[in-house]
Amino acid sequence: MTDFAAIILAAGKGTRMKSDLHKVLHPIAGKPMLMHLLDSFGELSPRRTVVVVGDKREQLDEALADRDITTALQEPQHGTAHAALQAREPLEGFTGNILVCFGDCPMVKAETVTRLTAALEGGAKVAVLGFRPDDPLQYGRVIADTDGTVRKMVEFKDASEEERACDLCNSGLIVAHSDDMWPLLDGVSNDNAQGEYYLPDVATGAIARGDTVKVVETDPAEVAGINSRAELAAAEAQWQSFKREEAMAGGATLKAPETVFFSWDTELGKDVVVEPNVVFGPGVKVADGTHIKSFSHLEGATLASGVQVGPFARLRPGAVLEEDSFIGNFVEMKEATLGKGAKASHLSYIGDATVGEGANIGAGTITCNYDGYFKYHTTIGERAFIGSNSALVAPVTIGPDSIVAAGSTVSRDVGAGELRMVRAEQMVKQGWADRFHDTMKKKKAAAKAKE
């Protein structure tokens, strides 16, 4: 198989986003659109990847710091072909197929790139990716024969009325072997309405010298560029739709699919039931047979088989629910493990804690894990029973089979099988309430009489 390298163009200012964040770093399903593209290309094991940068370069350098990716600066900016040429030095010595694409097309699939490179193996010197949108708008046009042989590539501003009537549009993705790509890029001129060096002229140059150029078509949704907040929202909706279909095809039940929102890395097992209005943040793994009820929010959580969550539950990073455990309404967990069969049915906060198998956490229980400077751990033993409205002041250990009485504030360890009751002495004053009400009624009547 021929080696593969990718050049991703991300030097534009993205002014229509009206943002201090670089356009290609805006997230879809919690992951920057550029990272979606890089991960897709990663499936093809590229030998090298170069991101061409310009405006807000420092943001891209920081975002790519932990990846084996080179950035190349385009300054000044004289068009897309000029941008691609900036990658020549980082790709010096590379021999193989080179793909050039835009960083704001996050939906491009690895299989599509494979189809493009297959056209080169079939004899084409250049392959371009085309699509047929419902409204061609001002996309550049691809004039091609029925067998996909390209006769002309033309930007909308330079196209004739006849050419504009063609509905086969240029996505901006182009691939050629390095032996062809660099000479063709060098041959691009700026003799056009904008005075810029256009990337599609790589194909035009190949046609002029008698080479075969092929167009490979794909779904418009795959190559939709993102230049505004509205287009970002549309891409998010498209991605979520794909993910919902994938989840249901994998054996999950989504009772109201359009109300469930996934992160890019959400993992759902078989026979998982997800009720309406559930949101998955990054890092959630859900095993088979789990039931997540309405209005729950999960992030960085791991759920074993048979777990029930919600409704109105919040699982934060580090929450681990073991087999058949249960989190009910208005319960929040963070950096805590709920053991097998354990339950916290309602109105509790469980943070920095380990809850043993079969333990019961009563309503209103709080693990007091933070003193304003440091976090501390709470350990609750197997089958322990924590009564309602209890405060467990960490660090503290509640032993197996022990009982903490309702309304207790526990600041010292509780031994196995013990009952811990921490309450103020009950004081009774007979008739006090009656006298109080009588006095206050008289005062109110007197005040009203003076009005």
Side-chain angles (χ1 to χ4, degrees), residues 90-122:
L91 291 180
E92 185 178 1
F94 171 79
T95 300
N97 295 328
I98 297 176
L99 170 74
V100 184
C101 71
F102 297 111
D104 62 358
C105 293
M107 304 297 184
V108 176
K109 300 175 183 176
E111 310 92 86
T112 302
V113 177
T114 299
R115 289 198 293 126
L116 273 175
T117 56
L120 300 185
E121 295 168 5

mmCIF file of all heavy atoms in Angstrom, residues 90-122:
data_model
loop_
_atom_site.group_PDB
_atom_site.id
_atom_site.type_symbol
_atom_site.label_atom_id
_atom_site.label_comp_id
_atom_site.label_asym_id
_atom_site.label_seq_id
_atom_site.Cartn_x
_atom_site.Cartn_y
_atom_site.Cartn_z
ATOM 1 N N PRO A 90 7.895 20.682 5.706
ATOM 2 C CA PRO A 90 7.662 19.603 6.685
ATOM 3 C C PRO A 90 7.550 18.216 6.056
ATOM 4 O O PRO A 90 7.811 17.216 6.729
ATOM 5 C CB PRO A 90 6.340 20.018 7.349
ATOM 6 C CG PRO A 90 6.244 21.486 7.142
ATOM 7 C CD PRO A 90 6.884 21.756 5.819
ATOM 8 N N LEU A 91 7.142 18.161 4.781
ATOM 9 C CA LEU A 91 7.002 16.862 4.106
ATOM 10 C C LEU A 91 8.207 16.517 3.246
ATOM 11 O O LEU A 91 8.155 15.572 2.443
ATOM 12 C CB LEU A 91 5.735 16.852 3.247
ATOM 13 C CG LEU A 91 4.401 16.868 4.013
ATOM 14 C CD1 LEU A 91 3.221 16.867 3.047
ATOM 15 C CD2 LEU A 91 4.299 15.692 4.973
ATOM 16 N N GLU A 92 9.284 17.261 3.424
ATOM 17 C CA GLU A 92 10.494 16.978 2.640
ATOM 18 C C GLU A 92 10.957 15.531 2.868
ATOM 19 O O GLU A 92 11.035 15.057 3.995
ATOM 20 C CB GLU A 92 11.617 17.944 3.035
ATOM 21 C CG GLU A 92 12.863 17.801 2.184
ATOM 22 C CD GLU A 92 13.935 18.813 2.565
ATOM 23 O OE1 GLU A 92 13.704 19.611 3.495
ATOM 24 O OE2 GLU A 92 14.998 18.801 1.924
ATOM 25 N N GLY A 93 11.210 14.851 1.773
ATOM 26 C CA GLY A 93 11.657 13.461 1.849
ATOM 27 C C GLY A 93 10.533 12.454 1.822
ATOM 28 O O GLY A 93 10.785 11.250 1.669
ATOM 29 N N PHE A 94 9.300 12.931 1.950
ATOM 30 C CA PHE A 94 8.164 11.999 1.912
ATOM 31 C C PHE A 94 7.828 11.643 0.471
ATOM 32 O O PHE A 94 7.751 12.518 -0.400
ATOM 33 C CB PHE A 94 6.930 12.612 2.574
ATOM 34 C CG PHE A 94 5.674 11.793 2.377
ATOM 35 C CD1 PHE A 94 5.441 10.659 3.145
ATOM 36 C CD2 PHE A 94 4.755 12.130 1.389
ATOM 37 C CE1 PHE A 94 4.313 9.891 2.949
ATOM 38 C CE2 PHE A 94 3.614 11.378 1.189
ATOM 39 C CZ PHE A 94 3.392 10.248 1.967
ATOM 40 N N THR A 95 7.616 10.366 0.231
ATOM 41 C CA THR A 95 7.182 9.874 -1.075
ATOM 42 C C THR A 95 5.916 9.056 -0.879
ATOM 43 O O THR A 95 5.916 8.075 -0.117
ATOM 44 C CB THR A 95 8.267 9.005 -1.740
ATOM 45 O OG1 THR A 95 9.448 9.800 -1.917
ATOM 46 C CG2 THR A 95 7.796 8.518 -3.103
ATOM 47 N N GLY A 96 4.850 9.468 -1.545
ATOM 48 C CA GLY A 96 3.583 8.758 -1.408
ATOM 49 C C GLY A 96 2.431 9.671 -1.760
ATOM 50 O O GLY A 96 2.614 10.770 -2.296
ATOM 51 N N ASN A 97 1.230 9.223 -1.463
ATOM 52 C CA ASN A 97 0.033 10.019 -1.760
ATOM 53 C C ASN A 97 -0.139 11.130 -0.727
ATOM 54 O O ASN A 97 0.040 10.906 0.474
ATOM 55 C CB ASN A 97 -1.213 9.134 -1.771
ATOM 56 C CG ASN A 97 -1.180 8.123 -2.900
ATOM 57 O OD1 ASN A 97 -0.619 8.394 -3.966
ATOM 58 N ND2 ASN A 97 -1.778 6.952 -2.683
ATOM 59 N N ILE A 98 -0.505 12.307 -1.219
ATOM 60 C CA ILE A 98 -0.729 13.461 -0.338
ATOM 61 C C ILE A 98 -2.172 13.927 -0.497
ATOM 62 O O ILE A 98 -2.622 14.204 -1.610
ATOM 63 C CB ILE A 98 0.225 14.616 -0.676
ATOM 64 C CG1 ILE A 98 1.680 14.197 -0.452
ATOM 65 C CG2 ILE A 98 -0.106 15.846 0.182
ATOM 66 C CD1 ILE A 98 2.689 15.255 -0.860
ATOM 67 N N LEU A 99 -2.869 13.991 0.620
ATOM 68 C CA LEU A 99 -4.234 14.514 0.643
ATOM 69 C C LEU A 99 -4.207 15.931 1.184
ATOM 70 O O LEU A 99 -3.567 16.200 2.201
ATOM 71 C CB LEU A 99 -5.124 13.657 1.540
ATOM 72 C CG LEU A 99 -6.519 14.227 1.852
ATOM 73 C CD1 LEU A 99 -7.431 14.111 0.637
ATOM 74 C CD2 LEU A 99 -7.145 13.542 3.053
ATOM 75 N N VAL A 100 -4.918 16.833 0.517
ATOM 76 C CA VAL A 100 -5.095 18.188 1.017
ATOM 77 C C VAL A 100 -6.580 18.390 1.301
ATOM 78 O O VAL A 100 -7.429 18.068 0.454
ATOM 79 C CB VAL A 100 -4.610 19.245 0.011
ATOM 80 C CG1 VAL A 100 -4.719 20.640 0.626
ATOM 81 C CG2 VAL A 100 -3.169 18.968 -0.413
ATOM 82 N N CYS A 101 -6.899 18.888 2.484
ATOM 83 C CA CYS A 101 -8.305 19.121 2.833
ATOM 84 C C CYS A 101 -8.401 20.287 3.796
ATOM 85 O O CYS A 101 -7.400 20.777 4.305
ATOM 86 C CB CYS A 101 -8.939 17.869 3.433
ATOM 87 S SG CYS A 101 -8.323 17.493 5.071
ATOM 88 N N PHE A 102 -9.627 20.708 4.052
ATOM 89 C CA PHE A 102 -9.873 21.830 4.957
ATOM 90 C C PHE A 102 -10.145 21.330 6.372
ATOM 91 O O PHE A 102 -10.799 20.298 6.579
ATOM 92 C CB PHE A 102 -11.059 22.661 4.465
ATOM 93 C CG PHE A 102 -10.816 23.308 3.130
ATOM 94 C CD1 PHE A 102 -11.504 22.910 1.998
ATOM 95 C CD2 PHE A 102 -9.873 24.314 3.005
ATOM 96 C CE1 PHE A 102 -11.266 23.493 0.774
ATOM 97 C CE2 PHE A 102 -9.628 24.912 1.780
ATOM 98 C CZ PHE A 102 -10.325 24.505 0.655
ATOM 99 N N GLY A 103 -9.681 22.104 7.352
ATOM 100 C CA GLY A 103 -9.841 21.710 8.754
ATOM 101 C C GLY A 103 -11.239 21.879 9.291
ATOM 102 O O GLY A 103 -11.536 21.422 10.392
ATOM 103 N N ASP A 104 -12.111 22.556 8.532
ATOM 104 C CA ASP A 104 -13.474 22.775 9.020
ATOM 105 C C ASP A 104 -14.477 21.810 8.411
ATOM 106 O O ASP A 104 -15.670 22.094 8.348
ATOM 107 C CB ASP A 104 -13.911 24.219 8.765
ATOM 108 C CG ASP A 104 -13.937 24.575 7.284
ATOM 109 O OD1 ASP A 104 -13.586 23.721 6.452
ATOM 110 O OD2 ASP A 104 -14.332 25.718 6.951
ATOM 111 N N CYS A 105 -13.985 20.648 7.956
ATOM 112 C CA CYS A 105 -14.860 19.580 7.424
ATOM 113 C C CYS A 105 -14.680 18.333 8.294
ATOM 114 O O CYS A 105 -14.027 17.360 7.888
ATOM 115 C CB CYS A 105 -14.522 19.277 5.972
ATOM 116 S SG CYS A 105 -14.881 20.615 4.831
ATOM 117 N N PRO A 106 -15.216 18.344 9.503
ATOM 118 C CA PRO A 106 -14.904 17.290 10.480
ATOM 119 C C PRO A 106 -15.544 15.938 10.214
ATOM 120 O O PRO A 106 -15.190 14.962 10.867
ATOM 121 C CB PRO A 106 -15.436 17.876 11.786
ATOM 122 C CG PRO A 106 -16.553 18.776 11.363
ATOM 123 C CD PRO A 106 -16.120 19.372 10.060
ATOM 124 N N MET A 107 -16.500 15.874 9.276
ATOM 125 C CA MET A 107 -17.228 14.626 9.067
ATOM 126 C C MET A 107 -16.587 13.704 8.023
ATOM 127 O O MET A 107 -17.108 12.618 7.759
ATOM 128 C CB MET A 107 -18.667 14.926 8.639
ATOM 129 C CG MET A 107 -19.430 15.806 9.613
ATOM 130 S SD MET A 107 -19.625 15.027 11.231
ATOM 131 C CE MET A 107 -20.652 16.270 12.049
ATOM 132 N N VAL A 108 -15.490 14.119 7.427
ATOM 133 C CA VAL A 108 -14.864 13.303 6.381
ATOM 134 C C VAL A 108 -14.417 11.961 6.965
ATOM 135 O O VAL A 108 -13.760 11.905 8.008
ATOM 136 C CB VAL A 108 -13.674 14.039 5.752
ATOM 137 C CG1 VAL A 108 -12.961 13.140 4.743
ATOM 138 C CG2 VAL A 108 -14.145 15.316 5.076
ATOM 139 N N LYS A 109 -14.764 10.889 6.277
ATOM 140 C CA LYS A 109 -14.492 9.545 6.770
ATOM 141 C C LYS A 109 -13.226 8.963 6.147
ATOM 142 O O LYS A 109 -12.870 9.291 5.012
ATOM 143 C CB LYS A 109 -15.674 8.625 6.453
ATOM 144 C CG LYS A 109 -16.986 9.059 7.072
ATOM 145 C CD LYS A 109 -18.126 8.165 6.603
ATOM 146 C CE LYS A 109 -19.467 8.631 7.150
ATOM 147 N NZ LYS A 109 -20.588 7.826 6.621
ATOM 148 N N ALA A 110 -12.601 8.078 6.887
ATOM 149 C CA ALA A 110 -11.405 7.413 6.374
ATOM 150 C C ALA A 110 -11.718 6.617 5.104
ATOM 151 O O ALA A 110 -10.904 6.571 4.176
ATOM 152 C CB ALA A 110 -10.825 6.491 7.449
ATOM 153 N N GLU A 111 -12.912 5.998 5.052
ATOM 154 C CA GLU A 111 -13.269 5.213 3.865
ATOM 155 C C GLU A 111 -13.336 6.077 2.617
ATOM 156 O O GLU A 111 -13.020 5.626 1.506
ATOM 157 C CB GLU A 111 -14.635 4.533 4.055
ATOM 158 C CG GLU A 111 -14.782 3.763 5.364
ATOM 159 C CD GLU A 111 -15.371 4.631 6.467
ATOM 160 O OE1 GLU A 111 -16.612 4.725 6.563
ATOM 161 O OE2 GLU A 111 -14.566 5.208 7.222
ATOM 162 N N THR A 112 -13.748 7.331 2.796
ATOM 163 C CA THR A 112 -13.827 8.243 1.658
ATOM 164 C C THR A 112 -12.438 8.569 1.129
ATOM 165 O O THR A 112 -12.209 8.606 -0.084
ATOM 166 C CB THR A 112 -14.565 9.529 2.061
ATOM 167 O OG1 THR A 112 -15.866 9.186 2.525
ATOM 168 C CG2 THR A 112 -14.683 10.482 0.889
ATOM 169 N N VAL A 113 -11.499 8.789 2.036
ATOM 170 C CA VAL A 113 -10.122 9.036 1.616
ATOM 171 C C VAL A 113 -9.570 7.806 0.895
ATOM 172 O O VAL A 113 -8.854 7.919 -0.112
ATOM 173 C CB VAL A 113 -9.245 9.399 2.824
ATOM 174 C CG1 VAL A 113 -7.786 9.576 2.396
ATOM 175 C CG2 VAL A 113 -9.757 10.667 3.489
ATOM 176 N N THR A 114 -9.915 6.637 1.377
ATOM 177 C CA THR A 114 -9.470 5.401 0.723
ATOM 178 C C THR A 114 -10.015 5.306 -0.695
ATOM 179 O O THR A 114 -9.315 4.875 -1.622
ATOM 180 C CB THR A 114 -9.926 4.180 1.541
ATOM 181 O OG1 THR A 114 -9.345 4.243 2.857
ATOM 182 C CG2 THR A 114 -9.496 2.879 0.873
ATOM 183 N N ARG A 115 -11.265 5.733 -0.891
ATOM 184 C CA ARG A 115 -11.830 5.726 -2.248
ATOM 185 C C ARG A 115 -11.093 6.705 -3.154
ATOM 186 O O ARG A 115 -10.901 6.454 -4.343
ATOM 187 C CB ARG A 115 -13.321 6.052 -2.201
ATOM 188 C CG ARG A 115 -14.177 4.948 -1.617
ATOM 189 C CD ARG A 115 -15.644 5.118 -1.971
ATOM 190 N NE ARG A 115 -16.246 6.288 -1.361
ATOM 191 C CZ ARG A 115 -16.894 7.220 -2.029
ATOM 192 N NH1 ARG A 115 -17.025 7.139 -3.349
ATOM 193 N NH2 ARG A 115 -17.437 8.248 -1.396
ATOM 194 N N LEU A 116 -10.688 7.838 -2.591
ATOM 195 C CA LEU A 116 -9.930 8.809 -3.378
ATOM 196 C C LEU A 116 -8.579 8.253 -3.807
ATOM 197 O O LEU A 116 -8.182 8.359 -4.977
ATOM 198 C CB LEU A 116 -9.716 10.084 -2.559
ATOM 199 C CG LEU A 116 -10.797 11.159 -2.594
ATOM 200 C CD1 LEU A 116 -10.442 12.283 -1.629
ATOM 201 C CD2 LEU A 116 -10.976 11.714 -3.991
ATOM 202 N N THR A 117 -7.867 7.674 -2.866
ATOM 203 C CA THR A 117 -6.546 7.132 -3.205
ATOM 204 C C THR A 117 -6.660 5.935 -4.149
ATOM 205 O O THR A 117 -5.755 5.694 -4.953
ATOM 206 C CB THR A 117 -5.780 6.731 -1.932
ATOM 207 O OG1 THR A 117 -6.562 5.806 -1.165
ATOM 208 C CG2 THR A 117 -5.482 7.950 -1.072
ATOM 209 N N ALA A 118 -7.785 5.209 -4.080
ATOM 210 C CA ALA A 118 -7.993 4.092 -5.003
ATOM 211 C C ALA A 118 -8.082 4.585 -6.445
ATOM 212 O O ALA A 118 -7.684 3.887 -7.387
ATOM 213 C CB ALA A 118 -9.258 3.327 -4.632
ATOM 214 N N ALA A 119 -8.600 5.814 -6.634
ATOM 215 C CA ALA A 119 -8.666 6.384 -7.984
ATOM 216 C C ALA A 119 -7.269 6.599 -8.556
ATOM 217 O O ALA A 119 -7.054 6.459 -9.768
ATOM 218 C CB ALA A 119 -9.439 7.700 -7.950
ATOM 219 N N LEU A 120 -6.308 6.936 -7.687
ATOM 220 C CA LEU A 120 -4.927 7.071 -8.152
ATOM 221 C C LEU A 120 -4.372 5.717 -8.565
ATOM 222 O O LEU A 120 -3.672 5.592 -9.577
ATOM 223 C CB LEU A 120 -4.048 7.680 -7.062
ATOM 224 C CG LEU A 120 -4.410 9.072 -6.543
ATOM 225 C CD1 LEU A 120 -3.356 9.564 -5.558
ATOM 226 C CD2 LEU A 120 -4.578 10.069 -7.689
ATOM 227 N N GLU A 121 -4.674 4.714 -7.784
ATOM 228 C CA GLU A 121 -4.212 3.368 -8.116
ATOM 229 C C GLU A 121 -4.839 2.875 -9.414
ATOM 230 O O GLU A 121 -4.277 2.022 -10.110
ATOM 231 C CB GLU A 121 -4.537 2.409 -6.964
ATOM 232 C CG GLU A 121 -3.787 2.743 -5.677
ATOM 233 C CD GLU A 121 -4.316 1.996 -4.467
ATOM 234 O OE1 GLU A 121 -5.208 1.136 -4.654
ATOM 235 O OE2 GLU A 121 -3.845 2.273 -3.346
ATOM 236 N N GLY A 122 -6.009 3.455 -9.753
ATOM 237 C CA GLY A 122 -6.681 3.086 -10.994
ATOM 238 C C GLY A 122 -6.159 3.827 -12.216
ATOM 239 O O GLY A 122 -6.698 3.660 -13.321
#
